[in-house]
Amino acid sequence: MIVIITDSEINLKQHIKLKNTQRIISVGELDLTISNSISLKDEIISFKCKGSKTELVVGLRWIKDNFDITSIIFFGYVDPVNINLLGNHIIIPQKLFSIDDPPLEWSNNPLINKIEIDASRNKMIRKVIHNTNYDFIYGDILSIEKKFINPSVIDELRNLNYFDGLNYIIFTSNKFANENNIEIYNICIGKTNSMSNLKFGKLFEKLF
């Protein structure tokens, strides 16, 4: 069984063929559904995270305790920091970083956490992208609280030239997967104003 983590902006049915979809009754108000995926040839749990890292961890722990999970797919939009990351580009993350402190504290040498992405999984994603003719770049993604992501913060990070994009839950998703020895694949899309026109079904069909 595969868990697909998305945020509230993504309509998974736009990208993956699903059937027999049912809502999962779980703890709290988690947005969980279970379906059969024609594209991925497996049963999947869709976990739509509304933005809280606490919600994400609670949900992933609950899923792990109640289902036999073989892998996780993180599928999310990335706010571009690097000017070479264009809207609809796929960014293959090589490193993930996380800063828990608010931007006003960044001048005080905040703690920066780092995760190195498994090179073999990135190689697999790179091969799929090549076979499906999507545009991509390699890069590093920073996770900060969603409420801190705004144009001024992006400009500040762009001047530092350390990171290529922002996403608020990718670091926590990968940290959980690594700590629980679950393989994770990161499908990260450069954010634009017309995301509803983008479809990545071919990529998912060839991923496994």
Side-chain angles (χ1 to χ4, degrees):
M1 179 176 286
I2 301 169
V3 176
I4 301 181
I5 303 169
T6 65
D7 59 35
S8 57
E9 296 179 275
I10 288 181
N11 178 7
L12 195 58
K13 291 182 179 180
Q14 181 179 329
H15 307 280
I16 300 178
K17 296 177 182 177
L18 302 173
K19 63 179 183 179
N20 303 324
T21 299
Q22 295 180 339
R23 183 164 295 280
I24 298 174
I25 305 300
S26 62
V27 294
E29 298 181 356
L30 299 176
D31 190 347
L32 301 175
T33 59
I34 187 168
S35 309
N36 292 313
S37 170
I38 298 171
S39 305
L40 295 171
K41 305 175 184 67
D42 202 343
E43 198 169 28
I44 71 157
I45 291 176
S46 170
F47 180 11
K48 183 170 287 192
C49 183
K50 300 178 181 67
S52 164
K53 290 190 291 185
T54 301
E55 173 202 16
L56 178 61
V57 172
V58 168
L60 289 173
R61 285 176 179 166
W62 187 90
I63 294 168
K64 179 178 178 292
D65 289 342
N66 289 275
F67 296 91
D68 183 17
I69 304 304
T70 57
S71 57
I72 294 172
I73 297 173
F74 175 83
F75 179 39
Y77 298 144
V78 175
D79 288 277
V81 174
N82 183 339
I83 60 173
N84 294 315
L85 174 58
L86 304 180
N88 81 18
H89 271 175
I90 296 173
I91 177 170
I92 302 178
Q94 296 173 304
K95 298 184 188 71
L96 302 176
F97 297 88
S98 174
I99 302 176
D100 292 329
D101 294 331
L104 290 175
E105 301 287 335
W106 290 356
S107 60
N108 297 324
N109 296 317
L111 176 64
I112 302 178
N113 304 295
K114 182 175 76 169
I115 293 175
E116 299 267 357
I117 300 299
D118 183 274
S120 63
R121 290 183 202 137
N122 272 355
K123 185 176 181 181
M124 179 179 175
I125 292 173
R126 167 67 182 87
K127 182 178 179 180
V128 172
I129 292 172
H130 175 75
N131 291 336
T132 50
N133 295 316
Y134 291 109
D135 295 321
F136 80 99
I137 67 168
Y138 288 101
D140 299 332
I141 299 175
L142 172 66
S143 280
I144 59 175
E145 293 286 348
K146 185 177 183 179
K147 62 184 178 182
F148 298 141
I149 299 177
N150 58 58
S152 63
V153 168
I154 290 174
D155 286 340
E156 181 178 348
L157 292 170
R158 187 168 289 149
N159 291 333
L160 292 174
N161 200 31
Y162 290 158
F163 311 107
D164 299 290
L166 289 172
N167 179 279
Y168 56 94
I169 53 174
I170 187 172
F171 185 92
T172 304
S173 300
N174 280 259
K175 183 173 184 283
F176 179 90
N178 292 348
E179 290 175 346
N180 290 276
N181 297 312
I182 303 172
E183 62 182 24
I184 183 167
Y185 300 86
N186 296 292
I187 310 297
C188 305
I189 314 299
K191 193 173 183 179
T192 72
N193 293 326
S194 57
M195 303 307 296
S196 61
N197 297 326
L198 303 178
K199 298 183 185 299
F200 293 93
K202 291 181 180 179
L203 191 151
F204 284 100
E205 289 173 4
K206 297 181 180 296
L207 187 57
F208 293 106

